[in-house]
Amino acid sequence: MVLAVFFDIDDTLYDSTKLTTTARRNSIRAMIDAGLKGDEDEIFEILQKIIKKYGSNYPKHYDELLKELGLPWNPKIIAAGVVAYEHTKAGFLKPFPGVVPTLLKLKNKYKLGVISNGLAVKQWEKLVALGLHHFFEVVVTSQEVGYEKPQKEIFEIAIKKLKLKPEQCVMVGDRLDIDIAGAKLAGMKTIRIKKGKYAKMKPSKEDEKPDYEIKEFEELLDIL
């Protein structure tokens, strides 16, 4: 019997792919307005490579961007990018349609939790900004526990916090290689939500095959 449902955050509870792409585009436009020279599309591709190299939590993407473009450090241009990114994020950080009413119904029957890679404060910022933080009894982040998905330990820690067994828990996430594979290693049931940039990803090995797949969040109610 399923007693708990755990969720990933990005591209599971909200459209992370659309938000980050739009915010990065807007930041580049704002930097160009502030005096940055260059083609928007070309600068965007350079920024994407920088973010991939240093990680999304690196605090100086725009500093590195100016270096990559062979330009001197310019606080005005960097600030323009940061402000545009933050303003865009605030406007686009909304739950997927159906998330809130579905969580309300699930909370009446199951314990709910979050398992997420990343910095603890940043993950909590997302949940608070989305207005979803009060739904979850447990939020486990890789920074806090020292393990990250797909390592099975991060899932096991989350399960133990609810004093349950793996077979009593379901993991819902968008990534086959991280959310689904890791949860299956821990002995959980898995549901893949086909959203965001990984929606067309296909399993590359057996432990990446989810028990169920959904396209819309509210389909969880029928499966559970």
Side-chain angles (χ1 to χ4, degrees):
M1 175 185 285
V2 174
L3 299 178
V5 185
F6 289 95
F7 298 89
D8 176 46
I9 300 177
D10 293 349
D11 286 327
T12 298
L13 298 176
Y14 79 105
D15 197 336
S16 171
T17 296
K18 183 177 180 180
L19 183 152
T20 54
T21 300
T22 305
R24 289 168 190 171
R25 284 279 185 187
N26 285 349
S27 71
I28 291 169
R29 292 174 187 137
M31 293 169 83
I32 291 173
D33 286 342
L36 179 65
K37 304 297 183 183
D39 177 77
E40 180 188 321
D41 290 336
E42 291 178 2
I43 296 173
F44 178 78
E45 290 306 317
I46 294 171
L47 179 61
Q48 292 286 76
K49 291 178 182 178
I50 289 170
I51 293 168
K52 184 176 181 179
K53 178 180 178 180
Y54 290 96
S56 60
N57 293 319
Y58 183 66
K60 295 187 176 182
H61 290 137
Y62 301 130
D63 300 66
E64 298 296 335
L65 177 62
L66 294 185
K67 287 181 187 177
E68 192 68 26
L69 292 170
L71 300 172
W73 185 73
N74 188 315
K76 175 186 174 183
I77 291 175
I78 292 170
V82 171
V83 170
Y85 186 94
E86 292 300 326
H87 283 182
T88 305
K89 186 171 77 170
F92 276 77
L93 196 58
K94 309 292 182 187
F96 277 126
V99 166
V100 172
T102 300
L103 290 178
L104 281 169
K105 292 177 181 177
L106 291 177
K107 194 167 177 61
N108 289 330
K109 189 174 180 181
Y110 306 99
K111 293 182 178 181
L112 304 182
V114 166
I115 303 173
S116 180
N117 287 349
L119 301 177
V121 172
K122 283 203 169 187
Q123 304 316 306
W124 273 107
E125 283 178 359
K126 293 173 187 176
L127 294 175
V128 172
L130 289 165
L132 303 178
H133 56 290
H134 56 283
F135 283 108
F136 305 110
E137 294 185 37
V138 171
V139 174
V140 176
T141 66
S142 59
Q143 182 192 30
E144 291 176 287
V145 300
Y147 299 99
E148 64 178 27
K149 299 179 292 184
Q151 291 177 292
K152 67 176 184 177
E153 288 85 355
I154 189 172
F155 298 93
E156 290 171 343
I157 289 168
I159 293 166
K160 286 178 182 177
K161 283 181 177 288
L162 291 181
K163 299 179 180 179
L164 297 175
K165 298 177 180 179
E167 58 269 25
Q168 296 173 310
C169 301
V170 173
M171 179 67 195
V172 181
D174 66 303
R175 292 192 60 168
L176 296 172
D177 56 339
I178 292 179
D179 300 310
I180 303 305
K184 292 190 78 171
L185 283 173
M188 302 169 71
K189 294 294 185 182
T190 57
I191 300 175
R192 175 203 188 182
I193 184 165
K194 300 180 77 171
K195 296 282 191 182
K197 60 185 177 182
Y198 298 103
K200 294 182 179 180
M201 178 185 283
K202 297 185 183 300
S204 62
K205 47 190 177 180
E206 189 63 30
D207 63 7
E208 291 183 0
K209 294 180 179 179
D211 295 298
Y212 302 94
E213 288 189 330
I214 59 174
K215 291 184 178 180
E216 302 301 331
F217 199 84
E218 49 265 58
E219 292 177 56
L220 286 173
L221 298 172
D222 293 330
I223 292 174
L224 292 169

